[in-house]
Amino acid sequence: MNAAGERRQQLDAASVLNAKRTLVQLLGRAGVYAGDAEELVGLVEAGALSLAGDEVAGVARDAPAEKGALYESGWLDGARAAADRLGDLAERALRDAVARDTSAVAQDARPPVGRMEVERAKVAVVPLYLSFTAPSDLDPEVTDQVLTAVLGTMGSRQRAGYAGSLTEFAAEHHRRLEKLYATYGPGSSVAVHGRYSLIHSPTSVAVLERLGAAPSALREEWDAAELPPAWLEGLATAWGSPA
C-alpha cells in the first residue's frame, strides 16, 4: 500500500490529553508549578490553533478556478468556515490558558504579574537584545524587577502575546536600536553604572517598547516597584522620548 492510500496518522483525544498531562508532570519534577505548566501548554495549544486557522485561511486564496465559479464559491465558503471555527477554538484555548474572565473590564485589568509571565518575557527579550549588542554584567535580579514592572502595564492577554509585540517593535526600530546600543550599550564608552545602566540590560528592549505603547502606566509601575527613576529617564533620553 502506498502512502497516498494509507490512513492519516492522527492523535485521538485521550492521547492528546495524556501527552499534556505527561508534560505537566515532567515540568513539575523540574520545579515548575502545575498552574504555570498548564498555562504554558494552554498557550502552545492556543497558538497552534491560531496558526492552523491562518493556514486554512490561506487555502481560501488557492481555490481552483478551473473547476468553475460554483465550485470556487463552495471552496471559499468552506475554507472560511473552517478558519472561523479554528479561530473560535483558539480564542477559547487562550481564555482557558490565562484563566481570566473575557468581559471588557477583565481584559483591560492588570492582574498581579506571575513568575511564568516573567520567564516568558525573559525568553522573548534576551535574544532580541543580543541581536543588537553583547551580553552585559548587570545584576540578573534587575531583569526580574524591571520585567515585572513592564508586564504590570498589561492585561493577561497582552502578556500572553508580548513576545510578538516585542518582535514587531524590534523589527520596526531595528536601525534605531542598533545605534542606541552602539552608542550607550556594552562595548561603548558608557559605564554599566549610571543613568544609562538599563541599556546594558536585555530588559531595555521591553522598556523602550512600553515607553512608546504605555508611558503613563510604565511610570506608575516603575514607581510602585521603587526602581531607580534615573534608569528610566536615562533610557528615555537616549531614545529621544520624554521620561
Side-chain angles (χ1 to χ4, degrees):
M1 181 180 294
N2 58 34
E6 294 179 356
R7 187 171 179 269
R8 287 183 178 177
Q9 294 293 312
Q10 295 180 329
L11 289 177
D12 56 75
S15 297
V16 172
L17 182 59
N18 174 264
K20 290 166 66 173
R21 286 175 173 170
T22 301
L23 181 55
V24 169
Q25 289 186 20
L26 289 173
L27 288 171
R29 293 173 193 171
V32 179
Y33 170 62
D36 290 339
E38 289 168 357
E39 181 179 350
L40 279 175
V41 172
L43 289 174
V44 171
E45 183 177 17
L49 288 166
S50 181
L51 293 174
D54 291 343
E55 184 74 17
V56 172
V59 170
R61 296 189 291 269
D62 300 326
E66 69 276 5
K67 291 196 175 184
L70 187 61
Y71 186 95
E72 182 178 6
S73 177
W75 176 289
L76 291 172
D77 288 345
R80 287 167 183 159
D84 288 345
R85 177 57 177 159
L86 284 168
D88 291 341
L89 291 172
E91 169 72 16
R92 187 174 70 186
L94 177 58
R95 183 176 65 243
D96 292 343
V98 298
R100 306 291 182 191
D101 189 338
T102 57
S103 67
V105 174
Q107 286 186 35
D108 292 338
R110 286 147 51 183
V113 177
R115 182 188 68 169
M116 190 55 64
E117 290 173 324
V118 173
E119 291 300 323
R120 292 203 311 265
K122 279 188 200 175
V123 171
V125 77
V126 170
L128 290 175
Y129 174 80
L130 293 178
S131 71
F132 295 109
T133 189
S136 175
D137 296 328
L138 199 64
D139 186 350
E141 288 188 7
V142 170
T143 298
D144 287 8
Q145 295 166 1
V146 173
L147 286 179
T148 297
V150 164
L151 293 168
T153 67
M154 309 173 214
S156 55
R157 291 194 177 210
Q158 284 182 290
R159 295 172 193 172
Y162 192 47
S165 299
L166 284 172
T167 301
E168 290 177 7
F169 172 79
E172 181 180 354
H173 299 284
H174 187 87
R175 290 189 177 180
R176 192 175 174 188
L177 287 165
E178 281 185 329
K179 182 178 179 180
L180 176 82
Y181 288 112
T183 305
Y184 297 96
S188 72
S189 59
V190 177
V192 69
H193 301 295
R195 72 190 308 246
Y196 299 115
S197 294
L198 207 61
I199 304 177
H200 290 253
S201 166
T203 62
S204 53
V205 179
V207 175
L208 287 169
E209 189 276 336
R210 289 288 91 187
L211 276 173
S216 297
L218 178 61
R219 170 67 71 182
E220 177 185 336
E221 294 293 332
W222 199 269
D223 291 344
E226 298 183 346
L227 288 164
W231 288 358
L232 187 57
E233 292 162 3
L235 185 55
T237 299
W239 186 246
S241 302

